[in-house]
Amino acid sequence: MILVTGGAGFIGSNFVLDWLAQGDEPVVNLDALTYAGNRANLASLQGDARHHFVHGDITDRALVDSLLAKHQPRAIVHFAAESHVDRSIHGPGAFVKTNVEGTFTLLEAARAYWSGLADKAAFRFLHVSTDEVYGTLGAQDAPFAEDHPYEPNSPYSASKAASDHLVRAWHHTYGLPVLTTNCSNNYGPYHFPEKLIPLMIVNALAGKPLPVYGDGRQIRDWLYVRDHCSGIRAVLAGGRLGQTYNIGGWNEMANIDIVHTVCALLDELQPSPEGPYARLITHVTDRPGHDRRYAIDARKIERELGWRPAETFATGIRKTVQWYLQHPDWVQQVQSGAYRDWVAANYSARA
Ligand code: NAD
Ligand code: DAU
């Protein structure tokens, strides 16, 4: 049994689906179902006794304590977070609450539970983090290695950096068996359409403008979400305690090139009678404090754990665009807000 937090979000739901496709070890999935959490992502697990969904908040210490005592997991895989940089600029409080206080709460609950375990050495606390904690790179700089200084620039990345430091300290001070992964930008199925790639797909299909921040020459390093999930499984299985592992696919691309790639795939797979989708590209005001370039040096996880991504960007982005074309109901529910109905119907039951 493992406890996953944030397993109704983009990466967490892909992780849970992959985990249960690969084996039979059950998952307790603790998720607060914020706007980013969507039970429809897990619809294929309905009735599957290996998946136990719990609607709740990681800042709720009593709830986390009770889940650990009841299910006795051998590991916690911690995805739950506020994850969108633009939202962190407009409302940083939720990021400090969930990413910092929530991680602290989980660490304290994990420490109390772990200290009572007979086999302490077997337990793992895997913290899922981001390359954004390292800050921004110049065009000629080497990619981020694990020993790169922390220089977070947005409220989101600062809150993730703080959580990474807490995880590190709980290992050094208390001996909690922790692992941290720092991954680059993910894309793939179930990606909430506020992030660049899914936003461009759904806006293009709706004939809406494709907003490119500033000159569009900012660089991100893109990894297909299921490759991130396989990297996390590799670290959970074989990572050295207290270590951090960067995960990335050596795939740096400028935003404007990503947008043109998405448009070209849509032109091929679902052409618009109005003409090429690139006609919708619109340069808009830049994001404040916008990091110019991220790039991951993934040699440590490759060398120590033999991990490699299965997808190239060409194969992964084609699968992604096809997934959105094949799931108009998912997109429609997210856009209309209907995916929140479960929360509305069940919220009082939680209290
Ligand atoms: P997401 O926003 O899609 O999902 C976050 C999930 O956490 C949602 O299901 C939400 O309901 C849940 N959640 C939020 N606050 C909670 C709380 N207080 N208690 C319980 N659940 C809560 O995020 P994502 O893109 O899937 O990212 C998952 C993790 O991976 C995050 O920690 C993020 O920092 C990290 N990460 C993301 C990327 C990326 O490209 N998306 C890259 C590297 C690392
Ligand atoms: O690097 C990992 C990080 O990647 C994760 O930790 C974050 O959770 C995840 O949201 C992502 O952060 P970014 O800010 O890089 O992702 P986003 O999709 O928001 O933006 C990608 C790039 O595209 C970024 O340079 C901003 C730009 N952009 C984004 C949006 C939403 C646009 O030009 N237009 C847009 O409308």
Side-chain angles (χ1 to χ4, degrees), residues 61-292:
R61 174 70 190 268
L63 173 64
V64 177
D65 282 345
S66 73
L67 291 176
L68 293 172
K70 180 174 173 192
H71 298 287
Q72 299 279 307
R74 70 169 176 96
I76 297 173
V77 184
H78 174 34
F79 293 93
E82 290 291 337
S83 70
H84 191 39
V85 173
D86 294 327
R87 285 181 190 256
S88 83
I89 294 167
H90 297 293
F95 288 71
V96 174
K97 179 85 179 160
T98 286
N99 301 359
V100 185
E101 189 185 329
T103 302
F104 165 73
T105 305
L106 275 183
L107 284 166
E108 280 294 81
R111 181 164 76 92
Y113 165 71
W114 164 79
S115 57
L117 290 177
D119 187 2
K120 289 191 184 50
F123 183 74
R124 296 288 181 273
F125 184 105
L126 192 151
H127 175 58
V128 179
S129 193
T130 170
D131 60 359
E132 300 203 13
V133 297
Y134 299 124
T136 189
L137 290 169
Q140 305 304 322
D141 292 338
F144 301 126
E146 286 79 359
D147 60 359
H148 195 281
Y150 269 43
E151 291 174 338
N153 290 320
S154 72
Y156 163 67
S157 54
S159 68
K160 290 297 290 188
S163 67
D164 292 11
H165 290 322
L166 292 175
V167 171
R168 176 189 161 87
W170 262 239
H171 176 68
H172 280 266
T173 304
Y174 305 113
L176 190 71
V178 306
L179 298 155
T180 296
T181 55
N182 295 86
C183 189
S184 59
N185 285 63
N186 285 212
Y187 66 99
Y190 306 116
H191 205 180
F192 194 84
E194 65 183 351
K195 308 280 171 68
L196 179 71
I197 288 180
L199 182 71
M200 296 301 140
I201 297 171
V202 304
N203 274 15
L205 290 172
K208 292 183 181 167
L210 307 180
V212 172
Y213 298 164
D215 64 3
R217 301 307 313 170
Q218 305 84 1
I219 289 172
R220 297 291 182 268
D221 189 350
W222 294 93
L223 183 70
Y224 190 62
V225 62
R226 295 183 67 173
D227 284 325
H228 184 190
C229 296
S230 74
I232 291 169
R233 290 197 302 275
V235 172
L236 184 62
R240 287 184 290 133
L241 294 186
Q243 294 282 310
T244 65
Y245 291 87
N246 287 353
I247 307 180
W250 304 97
N251 182 63
E252 292 183 54
M253 285 181 73
N255 293 339
I256 189 72
D257 297 332
I258 292 282
V259 176
H260 278 290
T261 302
V262 168
C263 289
L265 275 166
L266 287 171
D267 288 338
E268 176 197 327
L269 297 169
Q270 192 158 306
S272 162
E274 315 288 320
Y277 288 102
R279 74 185 190 283
L280 298 169
I281 293 174
T282 310
H283 287 266
V284 298
T285 308
D286 209 350
R287 172 186 279 174
H290 198 170
D291 286 337
R292 194 70 182 168

